Amino acid sequence: MAMGNASPKEVTLYSEGSRIAAEIFTPTGKAPPEGWPAILLCHGWGGLKDHLARYARKFSEAGYVCMTFDYRGWGESDGRVIATRDAPRLLEAGEIELKVRVLREIVDPVDQTTDIRNCLAYLWSEPGVDRSRIGIWGTSYGGGHAVFTGGNDDRVKAIVAQIGGFGFPPEHRDWARERAADKARGKLDTIVPQDGVDGVEGLKGTPDVGRMAEHSQLGAAARVKVPTLILDAEFEELNNRLEHGWAAYMAIRQNAPAEYATYPCKHYAVYDEHYGDSTNRAIAWFHKYL
């Protein structure tokens, strides 16, 4: 068995021009002639790369190059920059001095999955990585992102989605579209954190509900054609797992090898009391299919 490096390599990559802070964990020893298999790790909601370091280390010890990262606007990554409303219209390309606003701690699935694709591009081109053996692992909201990416990018050859969220409640879609309309008309600035506006109790950050309503991870599940393992909390309290993880599994199994397993707990217990078994299951899945 390979062993992971004691210290990961810190790297900076670019997602739509913004700097993304990431870390790469590499097994010790000489890479196989074809290169190491690799895993991109995606955290949920507004999680940070540091939260996934223990997963990356364990996967690296099992023989995988692993990448963790912070989404734009979170942790050590750049926030998204936009012109202030009173700025002159930006009608010419090039460098200018301009008063701007920096957006941070927004939960935007479109931006987050774009960041994931750009991280995948970096990992795919990392020296010592076997480009034909790249997997993706995601947890919580990142579990849905992992499936979305796997359903839209053929560089992904195996997926593990842990306690994932896979869509926006249909009964709230009209409300979310009103939010999007208010944002488009400048009536409500929902992309900047505001007290009492669309926040979720106990979770940091402001969700862009208008973008969430039009972004379907579950729809992407029907396009997944690579082996996928879905791990769920039996007593999931943040969503109805039958409408999320189970529904994604039922869609994926029509086109690819798939397994669905639950732990007798609520959402966050998977990170502690079931950490060992969940990571071992993930490693066994990647060993089988990468």
Side-chain angles (χ1 to χ4, degrees):
M1 180 178 290
M3 296 297 291
N5 286 339
S7 299
K9 179 176 68 173
E10 296 183 1
V11 300
T12 298
L13 60 99
Y14 295 89
S15 183
E16 310 311 294
S18 298
R19 291 168 295 189
I20 293 286
E23 294 183 335
I24 294 178
F25 298 73
T26 304
T28 57
K30 186 177 180 181
E34 69 278 10
W36 300 105
I39 302 170
L40 177 63
L41 284 76
C42 310
H43 46 73
W45 200 256
L48 303 179
K49 59 181 170 58
D50 295 346
H51 300 161
L52 299 185
R54 60 179 178 149
Y55 289 93
R57 290 186 191 281
K58 189 164 183 177
F59 294 155
S60 180
E61 289 173 359
Y64 298 89
V65 174
C66 296
M67 173 183 275
T68 62
F69 66 97
D70 290 333
Y71 293 120
R72 279 176 287 172
W74 293 87
E76 298 173 3
S77 292
D78 282 347
R80 186 152 56 91
V81 175
I82 61 172
T84 58
R85 291 188 179 182
D86 59 353
R89 289 189 177 272
L90 309 178
L91 303 180
E92 295 183 8
E95 295 184 5
I96 62 171
E97 291 187 4
L98 183 71
K99 186 178 179 180
V100 299
R101 298 166 64 202
V102 179
L103 308 181
R104 294 193 64 82
E105 298 186 352
I106 310 300
V107 184
D108 180 337
V110 179
D111 277 1
Q112 289 185 347
T113 50
T114 298
D115 293 344
I116 289 170
R117 293 282 288 270
N118 287 316
C119 288
L120 181 61
Y122 192 102
L123 182 60
W124 179 87
S125 61
E126 179 70 6
V129 165
D130 182 348
R131 296 179 175 185
S132 68
R133 293 191 294 161
I134 296 179
I136 190 167
W137 177 98
T139 189
S140 196
Y141 201 43
H145 289 345
V147 168
F148 181 88
T149 304
N152 289 289
D153 196 315
D154 63 7
R155 289 172 295 187
V156 174
K157 304 305 182 185
I159 302 169
V160 176
Q162 174 176 282
I163 51 176
F166 290 89
F168 192 84
E171 63 271 22
H172 297 314
R173 184 162 287 121
D174 285 345
W175 161 74
R177 286 175 171 172
E178 289 290 347
R179 279 283 195 255
D182 287 344
K183 187 174 71 173
R185 292 176 174 272
K187 294 180 179 180
L188 181 64
D189 199 354
T190 55
I191 57 175
V192 176
Q194 301 177 63
D195 291 338
V197 178
D198 302 338
V200 177
E201 185 177 357
L203 295 178
K204 191 176 182 180
T206 297
D208 190 327
V209 295
R211 297 264 261 189
M212 287 181 171
E214 309 303 333
H215 181 85
S216 177
Q217 295 98 326
L218 195 57
R223 298 191 293 272
V224 171
K225 294 181 171 59
V226 298
T228 302
L229 170 66
I230 295 181
L231 302 175
D232 247 340
E234 183 178 359
F235 308 114
E236 174 65 63
E237 73 275 27
L238 301 183
N239 59 60
N240 182 336
R241 68 175 179 84
L242 298 180
E243 297 175 355
H244 288 257
W246 175 257
Y249 161 72
M250 292 298 288
I252 294 167
R253 69 192 293 264
Q254 305 302 316
N255 300 308
E259 287 186 14
Y260 180 84
T262 62
Y263 292 98
C265 65
K266 293 184 177 182
H267 189 89
Y268 294 103
V270 175
Y271 295 124
D272 43 56
E273 59 194 87
H274 299 291
Y275 164 77
D277 188 73
S278 64
T279 51
N280 287 337
R281 279 181 184 242
I283 289 169
W285 191 260
F286 287 130
H287 278 350
K288 184 175 182 179
Y289 291 108
L290 285 184

